[in-house]
Amino acid sequence: MASSTTGEKKILTLKGGDNEEFILEESLVLQSELLKNMVKEERVSSIPLPSIKSKTLVKIIEYLKKHAELTPSNKEEFKNFEKEFVNVVLEELLDITVAVNYLKINGLLEFCCQAVADRIKDKSVEAVRKIFRIESDFTPEEESEFRKETPEAFEGDLDDTTN
Amino acid sequence: MSCTDPTLQLPDHLLSSIFCYLNFRDLVHVRLVSKRWHRNTPSYCAFNFDESLFFENTRLVGPLPTQEAHNKFSDSILDSLETSKSRLIKAEKRIVHVKFDYICTSTCLTVFHLTRCALNEQIFNGEGKFDSLQEVKLDGVRLSGEALAKFISKCPNIRELSLVNCEREWGCYGKPMFIVLPKLDSLKKLYVKHTSGNNSISKVEVIAPSLQVFHFLCSDVCKDAVYMDIRACRMLREFHLNCVRFLYWS
């Protein structure tokens, strides 16, 4: 299938998990190594991405647009945008991170990993478990040994589950 | 859905990448969260320090580390090493990555990478030895006087040594540099790479009876010919030489 063109700009359709379609300029998706290879090698004009929720795709496209507009003069503005970008509930942040990893958008991936790490840092073990809803799968013996060895890892910050 | 671990959708390598952004203290916590997190905790961690804390700006000679900040820094390294010693012993690999000019004494370090800093020979004048060190990499490190030989002589069990773009101390601009190592019985691999910097290597002397691999890469920053003596390395089976001028080989 040949890419459809309007004037100079090539147009590409991305199909999210729930079949919602997103039409955007091909130049935008070149930031994704995965899509870049698809576009270059197979000359497709429509790419299905069934594993990515539309909601997540909307966010990512929003980022691609902002990133494409990045110039030295609006750096500050972009930084604020990035900050807001990852200011979402944990599940959404993880969805985005997984999708960005799949799409291979390197700069954004680093930023997302950092954002997830920020939600782990300075927290006690219990607080991290609560935030990430992880049940400990260590044996009670192991668990009590940890507590004996590194009591400070289990202290404080227990209520910090706001994110 | 709301009571399952949302990180289950993250592949292991992604979990590891996320953990790479955490400091040592946080990683200790991460290891205890669950078995999967434990498995994916990097055994390598970077000590992060805000280097700007240690500099006062002096317009004339560039930034200089302030003594007080330096002491604070060394205290913090020793402190974190002390508290982490028992945990390091239990970790599968023991690696500490320190990006500053302070060599730490530890009995459990096996791998030591030092990047972009300076080593003063005086810090090796004490009694202490780095018995546990097996792998040392110095990358862009300024070595004063006999610092290299003194340091390495304190690492009797070193198996692998990499010297990447090391230079002499300030004030020795353009002067040639010697890589003269004391006798090293355990050294198996030696890598010397010299592609930038103000000092060219003019002499290499290695006495390592069990050395098996030696790579020597020296680009045109080396204006002088290199005198090399590796006669004592009788086990050498892999020798890569990439060097513009080479004087003597025996």
Side-chain angles (χ1 to χ4, degrees):
Chain A
M1 220 190 314
S3 307
S4 39
T5 50
T6 55
E8 296 280 297
K9 287 169 186 158
K10 285 187 181 166
I11 296 297
L12 192 79
T13 309
L14 297 182
K15 248 187 221 173
D18 12 28
N19 271 329
E20 205 174 318
E21 294 193 348
F22 301 90
I23 298 168
L24 59 163
E25 284 172 29
E26 191 187 277
S27 61
L28 275 184
V29 307
L30 297 183
Q31 295 177 55
S32 149
E33 287 295 323
L34 179 93
L35 299 181
K36 186 171 150 188
N37 287 339
M38 285 182 165
V39 172
K40 294 261 144 111
E41 281 166 25
E42 297 164 37
R43 302 198 169 277
V44 289
S45 62
S46 164
I47 297 178
L49 298 165
S51 64
I52 304 177
K53 289 178 198 158
S54 292
K55 191 181 170 196
T56 310
L57 209 47
V58 169
K59 283 284 278 186
I60 293 175
I61 292 170
E62 188 191 348
Y63 178 90
L64 293 179
K65 282 184 182 156
K66 278 275 178 198
H67 190 256
E69 291 164 7
L70 179 64
T71 59
S73 61
N74 63 15
K75 232 176 181 170
E76 231 13 73
E77 194 190 319
F78 183 73
K79 270 200 182 133
N80 290 334
F81 165 76
E82 270 188 323
K83 226 185 262 168
E84 275 310 303
F85 182 81
V86 291
N87 189 13
V88 291
V89 294
L90 182 70
E91 282 75 10
E92 203 178 332
L93 178 61
L94 294 174
D95 279 343
I96 295 171
T97 308
V98 170
V100 167
N101 174 56
Y102 173 71
L103 294 171
K104 295 202 177 76
I105 308 170
N106 292 333
L108 181 55
L109 180 60
E110 280 161 31
F111 190 72
C112 287
C113 285
Q114 170 81 67
V116 179
D118 284 345
R119 301 195 182 196
I120 300 171
K121 80 175 183 204
D122 300 331
K123 306 269 190 328
S124 71
V125 176
E126 287 295 357
V128 174
R129 283 181 186 155
K130 209 165 160 191
I131 293 165
F132 287 83
R133 289 193 300 273
I134 295 170
E135 295 264 356
S136 165
D137 52 359
F138 292 110
T139 62
E141 291 77 30
E142 287 173 321
E143 189 82 24
S144 69
E145 198 186 316
F146 293 156
R147 282 171 194 266
K148 217 162 59 192
E149 259 179 23
T150 44
E152 69 278 9
F154 292 86
E155 282 162 13
D157 298 313
L158 266 174
D159 300 321
D160 195 354
T161 50
T162 43
N163 51 20
Chain B
M1 186 64 193
S2 67
C3 49
T4 53
D5 169 5
T7 60
L8 283 176
Q9 57 169 322
L10 298 176
D12 281 357
H13 75 90
L14 207 47
L15 207 52
S16 298
S17 316
I18 290 166
F19 295 159
C20 285
Y21 288 90
L22 294 168
N23 67 21
F24 186 81
R25 211 171 293 270
D26 290 318
L27 286 179
V28 169
H29 294 191
V30 158
R31 284 165 64 86
L32 305 180
V33 167
S34 73
K35 285 186 177 166
R36 181 168 177 248
W37 281 41
H38 191 281
R39 218 170 36 239
N40 288 296
T41 308
S43 53
Y44 158 104
C45 76
F47 280 100
N48 289 318
F49 295 97
D50 182 0
E51 283 186 81
S52 63
L53 285 175
F54 307 106
F55 292 107
E56 56 183 357
N57 279 311
T58 43
R59 289 268 171 264
L60 272 174
V61 283
L64 283 173
T66 64
Q67 192 56 42
E68 193 199 347
H70 192 269
N71 291 346
K72 244 191 249 163
F73 170 78
S74 49
D75 284 350
S76 68
I77 285 199
L78 286 176
D79 181 52
S80 48
L81 276 176
E82 204 49 53
T83 54
S84 58
K85 209 189 252 178
S86 67
R87 293 159 203 160
L88 278 169
I89 289 167
K90 288 188 180 160
E92 293 76 20
K93 273 187 190 165
R94 297 147 206 164
I95 303 179
V96 173
H97 200 130
V98 182
K99 276 191 173 175
F100 209 72
D101 54 345
Y102 192 83
I103 281 282
C104 34
T105 47
S106 157
T107 53
C108 51
L109 271 184
T110 60
V111 179
F112 189 79
H113 290 189
L114 209 53
T115 312
R116 285 202 296 130
C117 62
L119 278 183
N120 189 313
E121 60 178 326
Q122 279 158 9
I123 61 177
F124 302 111
N125 285 344
E127 287 288 300
K129 277 198 165 197
F130 309 106
D131 287 312
S132 57
L133 279 188
Q134 295 183 5
E135 188 189 316
V136 173
K137 181 174 180 181
L138 304 181
D139 187 343
V141 175
R142 284 184 180 277
L143 300 158
S144 88
E146 303 280 304
L148 178 65
K150 280 194 178 171
F151 174 35
I152 298 303
S153 68
K154 288 185 173 291
C155 310
N157 297 310
I158 186 169
R159 298 166 64 88
E160 191 174 324
L161 173 65
S162 307
L163 302 170
V164 181
N165 296 331
C166 289
E167 288 187 84
R168 294 186 59 178
E169 68 268 39
W170 294 104
C172 288
Y173 183 90
K175 290 184 187 161
M177 190 168 96
F178 299 157
I179 294 180
V180 177
L181 301 177
K183 186 163 188 278
L184 293 167
D185 287 312
S186 316
L187 193 70
K188 295 257 190 316
K189 294 178 181 175
L190 174 64
Y191 302 101
V192 178
K193 189 177 161 193
H194 207 69
T195 49
S196 68
N198 301 320
N199 303 110
S200 56
I201 295 175
S202 70
K203 186 176 176 186
V204 179
E205 201 178 298
V206 185
I207 308 166
S210 35
L211 189 73
Q212 295 178 354
V213 179
F214 180 24
H215 292 192
F216 187 82
L217 167 70
C218 201
S219 73
D220 49 349
V221 286
C222 289
K223 291 170 203 78
D224 301 305
V226 182
Y227 170 87
M228 189 176 288
D229 183 353
I230 52 172
R231 278 171 296 179
C233 307
R234 297 180 188 280
M235 298 287 279
L236 199 63
R237 55 177 172 78
E238 187 183 319
F239 180 52
H240 286 197
L241 180 69
N242 187 343
C243 178
V244 181
R245 274 180 229 170
F246 191 66
L247 183 70
Y248 182 59
W249 154 256
S250 51

